[in-house]
Amino acid sequence: MQTALDAQLTHLFQATRTIAIVGLSPDPAKASFGVAVYLKQFYRVIPVNPNYTVILDEPCYPDLKSVPIRIDMIDVFQRSDRMPGFERDALDLQPLCFWMQLGIEHPDVAASLQAQRIQVIQDRCTKIDHQRLNAQGYL
């Protein structure tokens, strides 16, 4: 039987079509690259990094507000202290989820987004959770 969190994550992954990966690096040695390569098998991955114009053969945008299509999930690879810098864009864009990768947490930003009905996941990896749920037959 699925835990409540796993049921929540399963629903989220099933409802998601587009994932903006903030801080995506074109360097294959970086965690963000490996996560993006994996997720790209299942979703439209939108790179967000002001230092590049293309990553993984996809147009790369300098910031979230520049992305011209609906974002279902914002997946962030940035330090915890940088989370407030993404809060306004997340509130404006109203994604299904604002996901902070392993080691990233910000209780104040999480509370602000949750108050506007944006699901927040902190200190977890999208690739690890998706692979696990997929292997268990939930996705």
Side-chain angles (χ1 to χ4, degrees):
M1 180 160 172
Q2 263 191 324
T3 65
L5 176 59
D6 281 353
Q8 177 185 2
L9 293 176
T10 296
H11 180 266
L12 173 63
F13 283 127
Q14 289 173 339
T16 294
R17 299 289 173 264
T18 58
I19 301 176
I21 301 184
V22 178
L24 178 55
S25 171
D27 181 350
K30 300 282 188 177
S32 65
F33 185 89
V35 168
V37 167
Y38 172 80
L39 291 174
K40 198 170 174 179
Q41 299 172 79
F42 305 95
Y43 305 100
R44 171 129 187 233
V45 169
I46 303 162
V48 178
N49 186 326
N51 300 314
Y52 302 95
T53 56
V54 175
I55 299 177
L56 292 173
D57 298 322
E58 297 287 342
C60 186
Y61 298 93
D63 50 47
L64 288 165
K65 62 183 170 279
S66 299
V67 176
I69 63 170
R70 163 126 179 99
I71 298 169
D72 295 321
M73 180 188 293
I74 298 171
D75 189 5
V76 186
F77 284 85
Q78 294 285 302
R79 295 188 323 256
S80 295
D81 64 347
R82 291 188 175 174
M83 292 307 104
F86 304 109
E87 182 178 1
R88 177 80 263 152
D89 286 345
L91 289 168
D92 290 344
L93 294 170
Q94 286 290 302
L96 300 173
C97 177
F98 187 86
W99 191 301
M100 295 178 242
Q101 279 288 332
L102 284 173
I104 305 168
E105 296 178 275
H106 200 290
D108 293 340
V109 169
S112 169
L113 297 177
Q114 288 167 331
Q116 296 303 311
R117 297 195 173 134
I118 297 171
Q119 186 175 353
V120 176
I121 307 293
Q122 301 183 80
D123 192 25
R124 296 187 70 93
C125 177
T126 46
K127 178 183 175 183
I128 291 169
D129 281 325
H130 190 281
Q131 278 182 322
R132 180 177 53 78
L133 294 168
N134 198 31
Q136 293 171 349
Y138 294 118
L139 299 176

